[in-house]
Amino acid sequence: MGQLKIRNMEEFAAVSGISRPTVSKYFNDPESVRASTRKKIESALEKHDYHPNVFAMNQNRRKTKNIGVVVPNLADPFFSEIGRRVELACIEAGYSPILLSSHGSPTMERDNLNSLRSLKPAGVLLAPFGRMSDKDAVQAFGADFPLVLFDANMSDTGQAFVGTNNAQSVDLMVEYLCRSGEPPCFFEMKSPSNPNANKRRQAYLESMERHKQTPNIFQADGEGWNFEEIGSVEGGRLLLEKAFSTNTVLCSNDRLAIGMLSAAYGLDLRVGHGADCHLRIAGHDDHPFSRFTCPPLTTIAQDYNAIANRAVSTLFGLLETEERPSDREETLFEGRLIMRDSA
Amino acid sequence: MGQLKIRNMEEFAAVSGISRPTVSKYFNDPESVRASTRKKIESALEKHDYHPNVFAMNQNRRKTKNIGVVVPNLADPFFSEIGRRVELACIEAGYSPILLSSHGSPTMERDNLNSLRSLKPAGVLLAPFGRMSDKDAVQAFGADFPLVLFDANMSDTGQAFVGTNNAQSVDLMVEYLCRSGEPPCFFEMKSPSNPNANKRRQAYLESMERHKQTPNIFQADGEGWNFEEIGSVEGGRLLLEKAFSTNTVLCSNDRLAIGMLSAAYGLDLRVGHGADCHLRIAGHDDHPFSRFTCPPLTTIAQDYNAIANRAVSTLFGLLETEERPSDREETLFEGRLIMRDSA
DNA sequence: ATTAAAAATTAACGCGCGTAAAAATAAGAT
DNA sequence: ATCTTATTTTTACGCGCGTTAATTTTTAAT
């Protein structure tokens, strides 16, 4: 390390033998300076450990290297997992991700977007609540900053959307369940905030019709994010009442299914596709714990990696072109059937 | 809203009828100005929606309102939950939490601390890896910024530590298990990075001795954060080999227990304290999913709220006093026995 | 009304860096 | 060697706000 402490870019420019404006240019984009000067700067960088003051940098720069990442709830493993991958992809590309959780509150989602405004983000990746989101706020934000939605779509909001093709994924599951046993009933929340839930219900109805089966939808009361609890209490009640018209239940998501599995266990109902089983339960999302439920949960795997990477690369595409594309791009990845023991 | 857009503090000071230095003082601490002027500023604030430029603010302020929060792995529900509470407590107090996950990599923990340096945080809350952490880096950081450790302790590092009293909590569980059935074996990872694991093993040994029982420790091979997987594979192998010397297994944490429960289910071993059960399994941490395992997991609840709040309030205490206290404060909260069906 | 203390105003500087314009230099091509 | 073009240097200003010192005003106490 160097002997004297470098206090600012001026001093660093001095010791590296390059003028300050050029050094400034380097820190904005190392490729923008001649290879020989880049080398000088970088060797000085090794000797002196200088970091430009981020606050002074961002104050004057037109666009920062900040990328906002907003998810509805980090406590949900689905979002912590996809948030993780998005974060890493941003770092990989030399950006600074700022991960914000809305902690289950649409109000905080709006607050988070407002906080981000003052950070002048280069762009933002948002997994919105959906119908509970403050649509005006999100749209306004999308008008002011490059905005890519993921997981949950909102019409005419942001410049692009990346998610899973629920129609395809649910059909895949329904097809499998119909082929391998009794046709599935559908279990979901009564008033889901996430638009995927509605897409999945719709997909279930259409798929059942295509298979010439009678659809049967059961909706659980309950608000909030305690999906396992709701799945356990309401699902357990339905099981106890023998409400389900077939021995197969497709849950709108894994967390409901996990709750329902728990209830079934409590009621001594053996879940699975074996001869001695009373009931089949399937989920959707391939929640990290679904491999370890009892029995392991048959589900649909969303392509976390593809969604995260595409969301990030789509945003970077937006950053490069500068001008807003008139067409809103929607990318849907296919779900993959994960056959385990529960169905 | 106001007619003309306010561009900076100068203009805002003008419309509010207060001089800029006083306005600046207000934004630094609203209580520091006379009530009458505060009122003027705040009513102007309502009319004009002006936000001081955070970058310009932080550039010159001695200390920012940023609080760094670093956890080893947000994908672990324990950390996402405690991170959540810490975040909210910071916001509550008017600070800006910056949540960083090290994604299971001690290298990234060091990188995260370095990134935080450039954000001039008022203070930092760190749940370190423990023995895998770059101890020098963490200590150096603690010398430069107010630093409170939580969850995992590191000797002589940071100004305070807040966590759970593993000796007490494990003893509570051992006591319960011995009283209600066969004494527990102990199941853990062979080379745990988290120092709590070592504390728990030690506590198990001491508690067993106190109960005049022979301790039996089983250590699973395996690295990384796939605790459920390790618990399932290694735990399953031990079950199959009938390696455990009693019918009761205390797992070092819930995630291992969840994996083991899954393995037991696969082997058709009935888990629980009922007459028809083969095996008792207990955990530690009261993982959010432990209520929904099959059977629901008997475990120790760490006091998330108390830990989060105390960590935050301890840090704020440090911020106020300014000077570093010579004595490093360690606060341990007691665990609570959560009796469910698995043991 | 007088006075001491508290708070606000005025004026001015600095923080660390982005950026623009003009001049100087270096690199590559002829 | 000459010219063109791409880079760098020099010089200088500005961003938005923190902060200080000297001065004026306000407040509260006598």
Side-chain angles (χ1 to χ4, degrees):
Chain A
M1 287 297 166
Q3 35 284 19
L4 69 165
K5 272 273 170 69
I6 305 292
R7 305 196 148 280
N8 52 38
M9 194 179 279
E10 196 81 51
E11 292 186 15
F12 176 74
V15 301
S16 64
I18 301 289
S19 73
R20 188 175 71 77
T22 304
V23 171
S24 169
K25 205 147 171 284
Y26 167 86
F27 279 111
N28 192 16
D29 175 13
E31 299 300 314
S32 71
V33 304
R34 200 186 292 150
S36 58
T37 61
R38 182 162 57 243
K39 204 161 182 178
K40 282 188 194 171
I41 293 176
E42 278 163 0
S43 74
L45 224 37
E46 284 171 18
K47 293 198 199 77
H48 291 276
D49 147 79
Y50 157 74
H51 298 276
N53 180 313
V54 286
F55 300 115
M57 270 178 65
N58 289 331
Q59 176 173 24
N60 302 314
R61 259 220 252 285
R62 304 212 151 72
K63 42 183 188 176
T64 68
K65 291 279 188 179
N66 297 332
I67 300 285
V69 182
V70 183
V71 298
N73 195 353
L74 266 182
D76 187 321
F78 175 81
F79 291 113
S80 68
E81 186 57 31
I82 204 151
R84 194 176 73 84
R85 294 175 197 239
V86 164
E87 230 184 323
L88 292 173
C90 287
I91 293 173
E92 185 81 14
Y95 283 80
S96 301
I98 298 159
L99 182 59
L100 299 176
S101 166
S102 301
H103 301 295
S105 151
T107 310
M108 187 166 289
E109 179 174 275
R110 202 199 46 209
D111 293 347
N112 278 338
L113 291 179
N114 282 334
S115 310
L116 280 176
R117 280 178 181 278
S118 54
L119 295 181
K120 293 196 222 164
V124 169
L125 294 160
L126 169 66
F129 283 97
R131 58 161 80 286
M132 312 240 314
S133 289
D134 184 334
K135 178 150 183 164
D136 290 343
V138 179
Q139 277 191 330
F141 192 90
D144 296 341
F145 297 93
L147 175 64
V148 171
L149 303 189
F150 66 99
D151 180 57
N153 202 354
M154 292 172 72
S155 57
D156 306 320
T157 307
Q159 282 83 64
F161 169 72
V162 181
T164 289
N165 185 342
N166 289 293
Q168 174 268 340
S169 65
V170 170
D171 186 56
L172 195 61
M173 179 62 88
V174 171
E175 149 73 23
Y176 162 72
L177 293 174
C178 287
R179 174 162 47 82
S180 57
E182 296 184 19
C185 304
F186 191 76
F187 180 57
E188 64 169 353
M189 310 257 298
K190 181 170 280 169
S191 39
S193 66
N194 189 303
N196 287 327
N198 300 318
K199 294 240 177 65
R200 288 175 193 172
R201 183 194 319 111
Q202 202 55 40
Y204 165 76
L205 289 171
E206 287 166 14
S207 189
M208 288 295 275
E209 186 169 6
R210 208 172 308 122
H211 288 88
K212 311 227 186 301
Q213 301 289 352
T214 316
N216 256 297
I217 294 178
F218 296 84
Q219 298 186 316
D221 273 322
E223 290 291 325
W225 286 80
N226 286 321
F227 296 163
E228 294 86 3
E229 178 74 20
I230 292 164
S232 175
V233 172
E234 293 295 307
R237 199 173 49 74
L238 291 169
L239 287 174
L240 196 60
E241 294 172 359
K242 299 190 192 303
F244 294 112
S245 47
T246 71
N247 75 355
T248 302
V249 180
L250 171 55
C251 299
S252 182
N253 62 63
D254 277 4
R255 295 183 58 193
L256 279 174
I258 287 169
M260 196 169 199
L261 281 173
S262 162
Y265 184 92
L267 294 171
D268 244 323
L269 293 170
R270 194 161 180 87
V271 176
H273 49 241
D276 57 337
C277 293
H278 306 89
L279 173 73
R280 298 192 301 167
I281 294 178
H284 194 295
D285 292 345
D286 197 24
H287 192 296
F289 282 3
S290 298
R291 295 182 53 196
F292 304 101
T293 55
C294 302
L297 186 61
T298 289
T299 186
I300 294 284
Q302 296 198 48
D303 195 338
Y304 288 71
N305 246 330
I307 292 174
N309 288 331
R310 179 66 66 90
V312 170
S313 65
T314 302
L315 181 60
F316 288 162
L318 255 51
L319 301 190
E320 280 165 14
T321 62
E322 196 73 37
E323 84 262 0
R324 297 303 166 78
S326 52
D327 57 323
R328 189 170 175 284
E329 183 186 329
E330 299 198 0
T331 310
L332 300 180
F333 287 98
E334 301 214 329
R336 201 158 42 88
L337 181 63
I338 305 290
M339 284 189 277
R340 300 204 183 97
D341 294 345
S342 78
Chain B
M1 286 298 162
Q3 34 284 17
L4 70 163
K5 275 271 171 67
I6 306 293
R7 305 194 147 282
N8 53 38
M9 194 180 279
E10 195 82 50
E11 292 185 14
F12 176 74
V15 301
S16 64
I18 302 289
S19 72
R20 189 176 69 76
T22 305
V23 172
S24 170
K25 203 145 172 285
Y26 167 86
F27 279 111
N28 192 15
D29 175 12
E31 299 300 314
S32 70
V33 302
R34 199 185 293 150
S36 58
T37 62
R38 184 163 59 242
K39 206 163 183 180
K40 282 189 196 172
I41 293 176
E42 278 164 0
S43 73
L45 225 36
E46 284 172 17
K47 295 198 199 76
H48 290 277
D49 144 82
Y50 156 75
H51 297 276
N53 181 313
V54 284
F55 299 117
M57 271 178 63
N58 288 332
Q59 175 173 24
N60 302 314
R61 261 220 251 283
R62 305 213 149 70
K63 42 182 187 176
T64 68
K65 292 279 188 178
N66 297 332
I67 300 285
V69 182
V70 183
V71 297
N73 195 354
L74 266 182
D76 187 320
F78 174 81
F79 291 114
S80 68
E81 187 57 30
I82 205 152
R84 193 175 76 81
R85 295 175 197 239
V86 164
E87 231 185 322
L88 291 173
C90 287
I91 293 174
E92 185 81 16
Y95 283 79
S96 301
I98 297 160
L99 181 59
L100 298 176
S101 165
S102 301
H103 300 295
S105 150
T107 310
M108 187 166 289
E109 180 174 276
R110 201 199 46 207
D111 293 347
N112 279 339
L113 290 179
N114 282 333
S115 310
L116 279 177
R117 280 178 180 277
S118 54
L119 295 181
K120 292 195 221 162
V124 169
L125 294 160
L126 168 66
F129 283 98
R131 58 160 82 290
M132 312 239 316
S133 289
D134 183 336
K135 179 149 184 166
D136 289 344
V138 179
Q139 276 191 330
F141 192 90
D144 296 341
F145 297 93
L147 175 65
V148 171
L149 303 189
F150 66 99
D151 179 59
N153 202 354
M154 292 171 70
S155 57
D156 305 322
T157 308
Q159 282 83 63
F161 169 73
V162 181
T164 289
N165 185 343
N166 289 293
Q168 173 268 339
S169 65
V170 170
D171 186 55
L172 196 59
M173 179 61 88
V174 170
E175 150 73 23
Y176 163 71
L177 292 174
C178 287
R179 174 163 46 83
S180 58
E182 297 183 18
C185 304
F186 191 75
F187 181 57
E188 64 168 352
M189 310 257 299
K190 181 170 280 167
S191 39
S193 66
N194 190 302
N196 287 326
N198 300 318
K199 294 240 177 64
R200 289 175 193 173
R201 183 194 320 111
Q202 203 54 40
Y204 165 76
L205 290 171
E206 287 167 13
S207 189
M208 288 293 276
E209 185 169 7
R210 208 171 308 122
H211 288 87
K212 312 230 185 301
Q213 300 290 350
T214 317
N216 256 296
I217 293 178
F218 297 84
Q219 297 186 315
D221 274 321
E223 289 292 324
W225 286 80
N226 286 320
F227 296 162
E228 295 86 3
E229 178 74 21
I230 291 164
S232 175
V233 172
E234 294 294 308
R237 199 173 50 71
L238 292 169
L239 287 174
L240 196 60
E241 293 171 358
K242 300 190 191 303
F244 294 112
S245 48
T246 71
N247 74 357
T248 302
V249 180
L250 172 55
C251 299
S252 181
N253 62 63
D254 278 4
R255 294 183 59 193
L256 279 175
I258 286 169
M260 196 168 197
L261 281 174
S262 163
Y265 185 91
L267 294 171
D268 245 324
L269 293 170
R270 194 159 181 90
V271 176
H273 49 240
D276 56 337
C277 294
H278 305 89
L279 174 73
R280 298 192 301 168
I281 295 178
H284 194 295
D285 292 346
D286 197 25
H287 192 296
F289 283 0
S290 297
R291 296 182 53 194
F292 304 102
T293 54
C294 301
L297 186 63
T298 288
T299 185
I300 294 286
Q302 296 197 47
D303 195 339
Y304 287 72
N305 246 332
I307 293 174
N309 289 333
R310 178 66 67 90
V312 170
S313 66
T314 302
L315 181 60
F316 288 162
L318 255 51
L319 302 190
E320 280 164 15
T321 62
E322 197 73 38
E323 84 262 0
R324 298 302 166 78
S326 51
D327 56 325
R328 190 171 175 283
E329 183 186 328
E330 300 198 359
T331 310
L332 299 181
F333 286 98
E334 302 215 328
R336 199 158 43 87
L337 181 62
I338 305 290
M339 284 189 276
R340 299 206 183 97
D341 294 345
S342 77

